Amino acid sequence: NAGVTQTPKFRVLKTGQSMTLLCAQDMNHEYMYWYRQDPGMGLRLIHYSVGEGTTAKGEVPDGYNVSRLKKQNFLLGLESAAPSQTSVYFCASSYHSTGELFFGEGSRLTVL
Amino acid sequence: QQQVKQSPQSLIVQKGGISIINCAYENTAFDYFPWYQQFPGKGPALLIAIRPDVSEKKEGRFTISFNKSAKQFSLHIMDSQPGDSATYFCAASSSGTYKYIFGTGTRLKVLA
């Protein structure tokens, strides 16, 4: 009954360091998304995927890369972290293109 | 044109009162309007959703009112309870775009 699982839950990086956030879902959903949540700005879409092997840019893709090599996993990478990337990152998945989004519990990233 | 404007930013309601959160959109192609509820430290979860072929949808104490001509929709929480204290996000999407536009969120506090 895991749903959407994100790792790690917390991370502190120095400017210029790289890291990868992992999202795993066990619901066999085709669609997966990465959002960032910042105070007063709601949820903004970074990248999304409509199926294994596919990715597409969202509203705020700069500074991030993604991969979806397996249907159940969606990875978000930061190649050279910047303080502006300090945020809470949420992964979500859905069965239909406009169906219910199932969110993970978030990954809080701080870039010093 | 892709924005969804949400108000108020924060709301304090007495127990038993009615909480009302409003959203407005510009893109007439939007055809699915969900509301998500988020508790501190958790990911958002779908609360209730509506499609533009109906003007109102009710689920328990939660009601969405939809005004297609005004391009507005709102969430009404009847008999508000302290357990309803959370952040609420409206969202909109259109078929085939695979992505949602979220409002900036409303932090609701219900006083006991």
Side-chain angles (χ1 to χ4, degrees), chain B residues 14-84:
Chain B
Q14 293 287 337
K15 179 182 176 181
I18 302 174
S19 304
I20 301 174
I21 305 170
N22 301 299
C23 283
Y25 64 97
E26 290 293 327
N27 188 348
T28 55
F30 288 147
D31 58 5
Y32 180 65
F33 303 89
W35 285 89
Y36 282 80
Q37 179 187 55
Q38 183 182 28
F39 293 106
K42 301 294 184 182
L46 180 65
L47 183 63
I48 187 172
I50 197 168
R51 295 194 183 272
D53 52 343
V54 295
S55 61
E56 187 175 281
K57 183 174 181 180
K58 184 176 181 179
E59 291 185 0
R61 296 183 295 108
F62 301 92
T63 300
I64 299 179
S65 296
F66 184 79
N67 186 329
K68 189 174 181 178
S69 61
K71 291 184 283 186
Q72 295 176 346
F73 58 109
S74 60
L75 176 68
H76 297 238
I77 306 174
M78 311 299 288
D79 187 26
S80 299
Q81 299 296 312
D84 297 331

Side-chain angles (χ1 to χ4, degrees), chain A residues 31 33 35 37 40-43 45 48 50 57 59 90 97-101 103-105, chain B residues 32 36 38 41-44 46 51 89 93-104:
Chain A
Y31 306 95
Y33 310 81
Y35 288 90
Q37 184 175 23
M41 304 194 74
L43 292 152
L45 182 64
Y48 64 101
V50 301
K57 294 180 180 179
E59 302 170 67
F90 285 98
S97 62
T98 53
E100 179 178 357
L101 290 174
F103 285 86
E105 294 203 333
Chain B
Y32 180 65
Y36 282 80
Q38 183 182 28
K42 301 294 184 182
L46 180 65
R51 295 194 183 272
F89 293 96
S93 69
S94 55
S95 300
T97 62
Y98 312 113
K99 49 188 177 180
Y100 293 78
I101 304 297
F102 281 86
T104 51

Side-chain angles (χ1 to χ4, degrees), chain A residues 38-67:
Chain A
D38 302 291
M41 304 194 74
L43 292 152
R44 293 182 292 167
L45 182 64
I46 305 170
H47 285 280
Y48 64 101
S49 169
V50 301
E52 180 179 315
T54 73
T55 63
K57 294 180 180 179
E59 302 170 67
V60 289
D62 294 342
Y64 305 95
N65 56 76
V66 288
S67 64

Side-chain angles (χ1 to χ4, degrees), chain A residues 2-76:
Chain A
V4 178
T5 303
Q6 292 182 229
T7 54
K9 287 185 169 36
F10 302 93
R11 185 75 187 267
V12 178
L13 289 177
K14 294 181 179 179
T15 296
Q17 287 185 318
S18 64
M19 75 157 296
T20 300
L21 297 176
L22 171 64
C23 177
Q25 54 95 3
D26 61 2
M27 297 173 282
N28 201 35
H29 287 169
E30 289 291 339
Y31 306 95
M32 296 189 74
Y33 310 81
W34 275 108
Y35 288 90
R36 60 177 290 173
Q37 184 175 23
D38 302 291
M41 304 194 74
L43 292 152
R44 293 182 292 167
L45 182 64
I46 305 170
H47 285 280
Y48 64 101
S49 169
V50 301
E52 180 179 315
T54 73
T55 63
K57 294 180 180 179
E59 302 170 67
V60 289
D62 294 342
Y64 305 95
N65 56 76
V66 288
S67 64
R68 185 130 180 241
L69 299 179
K70 294 183 179 180
K71 185 177 183 179
Q72 63 267 33
N73 295 337
F74 195 28
L75 278 64
L76 177 70

